[in-house]
């Protein structure tokens, strides 16, 4: 073949071509992003609207429904789901895979602005984000202090930490949990209000009139001008206490006469604890298609700067990081690649019996694998579990072409030809066979990339990475391998002990196989048919009884407990049961962090995250611990609590294997009754 012959006659050219493949592949590897799985997430956009004081029914009719009707007309919308809670509306729009996330967000933003005038004036401006409404943060940071109160910590987190974290690549939102915003609390005394014939509305109007921040203009002269700042806003409890509400019988009634004023939190509707200590937490939520590993790395790199900017006495801790398992799994696959290369190299050496001959196919492995990274970068792929799995499988495939070329050339050398002539003749004889082998293997895996839906997205990178590595190995087998064969292979008339022993063993193995095959073909053909029939019968009997699942359960090093209290429960009620869940987790030495988040998304809901120590330092898996905790959680009266192990394939904690949607055009009471019947049946 012409390419192989040119490489043999121009060895420097063959070496330079392989070095070029290595160089481009190494540069591509450095620039490829790393993630757990390929980008299989559908573009998701969320519209969040807050309407203070509104009930769930008002939110549904006046906010959620108009927005849903407007958004439904966008192209490529797959599913629209909405949750109307008291004071809050959340609409999640999931698009089909082919839709660009940025385009989807822009179109949702446009449709939302169209109906803004039809929404109540008192609502806060809608927030559009490329993230699911109730998305679970990738990494949680907990801020605590022995010298500062929660109000001071929350103020620092809101002013310093949150803006910094929002600049990290891939961050869609930074949510503060256990929030305690500064507010001036006015505690009214009903008896005194009634005595002065006043109402809470009178107090509210008086505060609005007195607490203003108005532009005061500027003063100009011939040579100078000054900006006038009017300090009309109030900031201290005493100033609010001196506000005059109304004059009654010539006597000015002030707020101090009918109420008590003090600084405090705007509301206390959530609580966060890390290992039993109250804290303020910042949850970093990734964009729908962002890389969690890069996001976590960016947040951790930001932490030293945050600690430097925060005052002394504040402790910053990583309460939970869901990217730890992803990082470990990627490193584990890299380790598997190294082990596979070593094992393949040992097998090659055992059967080829000389170091010189073994080097030729072994060199093919790194060239082919590193060259695959260049093709992955060209196609826009990422380094993930599946593409690395493709490289593990490719290790055994990429050496085939080189071994075929090597064997054919070495056969001519043993017959008496010089290495150069043997390389020319051998590569000519086997060249088109190598091309056929390469294209056949590529044709086997490439069609996987045409599978539709999420499955196709999941395995496209796997199939094309594997096919690409085989194509690179075919090129190397036609350039570098024949050139190295002409330089390294030598006929050895006096083989050593190892060579003679392996040759004798392989000859005996071949002769034994020939005798067995001859006996089967002559006297025991019925045995082959009987084994085939027995195998088919065994498959027919065993296969239906085998468990079937999309992906096996994994110990991801974290366990989540959710707690749901009855409707109308207060934060204290829910928090009491969350503390019971925390105490159950503290009884396991496998957990080093117990992170409780109560009041999210409502005061009747909460979650407790149990973070396990490294896998090497514990004997029990999170799956085993979850089975042990389930009956304990079920024994808690008054709440619904259960442990959750994160599902596979990069899905979030809230993903479920089976989802039922119960719809009705009737009342919510009827819907609730049907739902109860279904739960009882389940």
């Amino acid at each position: 073949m012409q390419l192989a012959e040119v490489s043999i006659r121009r060895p420097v050219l063959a070496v330079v071509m392989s070095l070029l493949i290595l160089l481009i592949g190494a540069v591509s590897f450095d620039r490829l992003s790393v993630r757990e799985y390929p980008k299989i997430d559908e573009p998701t956009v969320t519209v969040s609207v807050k309407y203070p004081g509104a009930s769930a029914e008002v939110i549904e009719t006046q906010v959620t429904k108009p927005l849903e009707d407007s958004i439904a007309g966008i192209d490529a919308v797959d599913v629209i789901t909405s949750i109307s809670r008291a004071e809050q509306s959340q609409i999640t729009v999931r698009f089909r895979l082919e839709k660009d996330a940025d385009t989807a967000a822009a179109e949702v933003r446009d449709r939302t602005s169209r109906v803004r005038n039809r929404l109540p004036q008192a609502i806060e401006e809608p927030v559009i984000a490329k993230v699911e409404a109730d998305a679970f943060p990738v990494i949680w940071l907990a801020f605590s202090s022995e010298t500062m109160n929660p109000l001071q910590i929350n103020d620092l987190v809101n002013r310093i930490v949150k803006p910094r974290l929002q600049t990290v690549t891939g961050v869609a939102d930074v949510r503060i949990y256990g929030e305690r915003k500064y507010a001036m609390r006015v505690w009214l005394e009903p008896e005194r209000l009634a005595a002065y014939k006043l109402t809470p509305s009178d107090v509210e109007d008086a505060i609005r009139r007195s607490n203003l921040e108005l532009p005061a203009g500027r003063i100009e002269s011939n040579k100078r001008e000054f900006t006038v700042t009017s300090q009309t806003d109030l900031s201290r409890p005493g100033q609010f206490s001196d506000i005059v509400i109304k004059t009654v019988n010539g006597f000015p009634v002030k707020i101090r006469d009918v109420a008590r004023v003090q600084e405090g939190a705007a509301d206390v509707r959530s609580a966060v604890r890390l290992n039993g200590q109250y804290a303020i937490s910042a949850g970093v939520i990734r964009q729908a298609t962002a890389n969690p590993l890069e996001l976590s790395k960016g947040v951790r790199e930001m932490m030293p700067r945050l600690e430097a900017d925060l005052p002394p006495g504040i402790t910053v801790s990583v309460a939970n990081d869901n990217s730890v398992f992803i990082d470990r799994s990627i490193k584990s696959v890299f380790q598997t690649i190294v082990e596979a290369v070593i094992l393949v190299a040992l097998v090659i050496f055992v059967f080829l019996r000389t170091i010189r001959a073994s080097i030729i196919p072994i060199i093919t492995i790194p060239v082919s694998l590193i060259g695959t990274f260049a093709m992955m970068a060209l196609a826009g792929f990422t380094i993930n579990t599946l593409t690395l799995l493709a490289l593990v499988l490719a290790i055994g495939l990429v050496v085939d072409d080189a071994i075929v070329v090597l064997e054919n050339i070495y056969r001519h050398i043993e017959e008496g030809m010089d290495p150069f002539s043997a390389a020319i003749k051998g590569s000519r004889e086997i060249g088109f066979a190598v091309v056929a082998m390469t294209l056949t293997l590529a044709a086997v895996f490439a069609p996987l990339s045409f599978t539709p839906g999420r499955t196709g997205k999941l395995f496209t990178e796997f199939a094309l990475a594997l096919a690409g590595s085989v194509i690179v190995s075919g090129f190397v087998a036609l350039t570098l391998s024949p050139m190295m064969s002409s330089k390294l292979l030598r006929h050895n008339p006096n083989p050593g002990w190892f060579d003679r022993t392996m040759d004798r063993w392989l000859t005996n193995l071949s002769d034994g196989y020939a005798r067995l095959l001859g006996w089967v073909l002559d006297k025991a053909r019925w045995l082959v048919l009987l084994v085939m029939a027995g195998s088919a019968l065994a498959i027919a009997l065993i296969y239906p009884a085998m468990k079937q699942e999309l992906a096996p359960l994994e110990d991801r090093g974290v366990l989540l407990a959710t707690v749901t209290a009855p409707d109308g429960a207060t934060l204290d009620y829910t928090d009491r049961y969350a503390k019971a869940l925390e105490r159950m987790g503290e009884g396991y030495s496998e957990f080093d962090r117990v992170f409780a988040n109560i009041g999210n998304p409502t005061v009747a809901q909460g979650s407790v995250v149990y973070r396990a120590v490294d896998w090497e330092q514990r004997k029990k898996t999170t799956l085993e611990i979850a089975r042990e905790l389930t009956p304990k959680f079920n024994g808690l009266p008054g709440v619904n609590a259960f442990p959750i192990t994160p599902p596979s394939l990069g899905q979030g904690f809230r993903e479920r294997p089976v989802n039922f949607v119960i719809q009705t055009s009737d009342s919510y009471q009827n819907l609730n009754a049907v739902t109860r019947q279904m739960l009882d049946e389940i």
Side-chain angles (χ1 to χ4, degrees), residues 28-293:
S28 301
F29 174 80
D30 186 58
R31 298 183 179 181
L32 285 171
S33 61
V34 180
R35 52 186 300 131
E36 183 177 13
Y37 293 105
K39 295 179 181 179
I40 59 173
D41 300 321
E42 298 94 343
T44 304
V45 180
T46 294
V47 182
S48 301
V49 183
K50 291 186 178 180
Y51 190 2
S55 65
E57 290 78 6
V58 173
I59 292 288
E60 168 73 19
T61 56
Q62 297 190 23
V63 179
T64 304
K65 193 65 169 66
L67 286 172
E68 279 185 326
D69 293 340
S70 178
I71 294 171
I74 299 177
D75 180 52
V77 170
D78 187 14
V79 178
I80 299 178
T81 58
S82 64
I83 301 175
S84 297
R85 301 185 179 102
E87 300 186 343
Q88 188 176 28
S89 170
Q90 290 181 338
I91 302 174
T92 302
V93 189
R94 193 172 73 234
F95 292 85
R96 289 194 286 271
L97 283 169
E98 62 270 14
K99 188 78 171 183
D100 179 69
D102 294 327
T103 303
E107 293 183 6
V108 171
R109 191 174 293 108
D110 176 62
R111 291 297 183 119
T112 302
S113 62
R114 290 186 189 183
V115 296
R116 177 62 182 86
N117 293 333
R118 291 166 50 192
L119 303 179
Q121 294 298 318
I123 68 168
E124 299 180 8
E125 284 301 313
V127 177
I128 292 92
K130 293 183 289 184
V131 67
E132 293 186 14
D134 290 328
F136 206 79
V138 173
I139 183 171
W140 305 72
L141 300 181
F143 300 84
S144 58
S145 175
E146 298 289 343
T147 58
M148 295 185 179
N149 59 45
L151 288 171
Q152 295 171 318
I153 299 173
N154 190 94
D155 180 59
L156 293 170
V157 172
N158 199 51
R159 288 189 299 105
I160 299 175
V161 176
K162 185 175 181 178
R164 293 285 185 87
L165 293 179
Q166 286 175 327
T167 62
V168 176
T169 303
V171 173
D173 191 16
V174 178
R175 296 177 186 170
I176 300 178
Y177 298 91
E179 193 170 35
R180 299 290 186 271
K181 286 186 177 180
Y182 266 112
M184 199 64 66
R185 305 302 300 264
V186 180
W187 302 95
L188 300 176
E189 299 184 18
E191 296 84 1
R192 294 195 176 189
L193 283 175
Y196 289 111
K197 297 181 180 180
L198 298 175
T199 65
S201 297
D202 295 329
V203 179
E204 183 179 355
D205 292 340
I207 293 175
R208 291 184 185 277
R209 290 193 309 268
S210 302
N211 187 28
L212 297 174
E213 190 171 3
L214 301 174
R218 63 180 180 271
I219 300 174
E220 298 181 357
S221 66
N222 292 334
K223 297 182 179 180
R224 300 286 299 275
E225 68 174 38
F226 302 91
T227 300
V228 178
T229 302
S230 59
Q231 296 182 350
T232 56
D233 60 317
L234 308 180
S235 58
R236 295 190 298 274
Q239 294 173 330
F240 281 87
S241 298
D242 291 335
I243 294 177
V244 176
I245 305 173
K246 194 175 182 179
T247 301
V248 179
N249 297 327
F251 178 76
V253 180
K254 299 180 180 180
I255 288 181
R256 71 171 69 251
D257 299 323
V258 296
R260 173 171 50 88
V261 182
Q262 67 180 44
E263 288 184 352
D267 58 56
V268 183
R269 298 183 62 81
S270 63
V272 167
R273 283 186 299 273
L274 178 61
N275 293 333
Q277 182 181 4
Y278 282 94
I280 304 295
S281 177
V284 183
I285 298 173
R286 71 181 180 94
Q287 296 177 2
T289 56
N291 182 355
L293 282 175

Side-chain angles (χ1 to χ4, degrees), residues 488-500:
L488 296 179
L489 294 184
R490 296 287 185 272
H491 177 60
N492 186 9
N494 298 312
W497 171 84
F498 178 76
D499 198 340
R500 295 194 306 271

Side-chain angles (χ1 to χ4, degrees), residues 511-528:
D511 293 342
Y513 172 70
R515 289 193 298 270
L516 177 63
L517 184 61
W519 176 77
V520 169
L521 294 177
D522 290 339
K523 300 179 180 180
R525 295 188 180 186
W526 57 270
L527 182 60
V528 176

Side-chain angles (χ1 to χ4, degrees), residues 349-595:
F349 173 72
V350 167
F351 282 86
L352 295 183
R353 306 189 297 277
T354 64
I355 295 293
R356 283 175 172 266
S358 301
I359 289 175
I360 298 171
I362 290 174
I363 289 293
T364 306
I365 298 176
V367 176
S368 300
L369 297 187
I370 296 175
T372 305
F373 292 125
M375 303 184 71
M376 290 169 55
L378 186 64
F381 294 166
T382 60
I383 297 174
N384 55 68
T385 305
L386 289 177
T387 52
L388 292 178
L389 174 62
L391 297 183
V392 173
L393 296 179
I395 292 172
L397 299 176
V398 297
V399 297
D400 292 347
D401 294 339
I403 290 176
V404 169
V405 172
L406 167 69
E407 285 285 357
N408 198 51
I409 294 174
Y410 193 61
R411 177 173 62 87
H412 290 297
I413 293 176
E414 287 185 324
E415 292 175 354
M417 295 184 64
D418 63 280
F420 182 84
S421 302
I424 295 290
K425 185 177 181 180
S427 59
R428 283 177 180 174
E429 293 174 344
I430 207 71
F432 285 104
V434 171
V435 173
M437 288 175 57
T438 301
L439 295 180
T440 301
L441 289 172
V444 169
F445 299 108
L448 278 174
S449 62
F450 299 106
T451 307
R454 295 189 74 178
T455 305
K457 278 280 187 178
L458 186 66
F459 288 102
T460 293
E461 296 190 15
F462 167 80
L464 295 184
L466 189 52
S469 64
V470 171
I471 291 173
V472 175
S473 72
F475 177 80
V476 174
L478 294 174
T479 55
L480 187 64
S481 296
M483 185 277 295
M484 293 181 67
S485 298
S486 68
K487 300 294 183 181
L488 296 179
L489 294 184
R490 296 287 185 272
H491 177 60
N492 186 9
N494 298 312
W497 171 84
F498 178 76
D499 198 340
R500 295 194 306 271
T501 303
M502 284 303 304
D503 183 64
R504 186 167 57 253
W505 182 80
L506 291 174
T507 301
N508 293 335
L509 181 65
S510 178
D511 293 342
Y513 172 70
R515 289 193 298 270
L516 177 63
L517 184 61
W519 176 77
V520 169
L521 294 177
D522 290 339
K523 300 179 180 180
R525 295 188 180 186
W526 57 270
L527 182 60
V528 176
L529 298 176
L530 183 62
V531 171
M532 289 178 58
S535 301
L537 179 62
I539 292 173
L541 294 175
I542 296 174
Y543 179 76
M546 294 181 64
K547 292 178 62 177
Q548 298 182 16
E549 56 187 358
L550 177 62
L553 294 174
E554 300 172 301
D555 179 359
R556 301 177 71 91
V558 67
L559 193 66
L560 174 72
T562 64
V563 54
T564 304
D567 291 339
T570 63
L571 179 68
D572 291 337
Y573 181 95
T574 310
D575 191 33
R576 178 159 55 92
Y577 286 97
K579 289 179 179 178
L581 296 178
E582 291 177 66
R583 288 192 294 270
M584 292 180 187
E586 290 170 354
Y588 287 88
S589 60
E590 287 81 4
F591 297 135
D592 65 345
R593 275 164 289 178
V594 179
F595 175 65

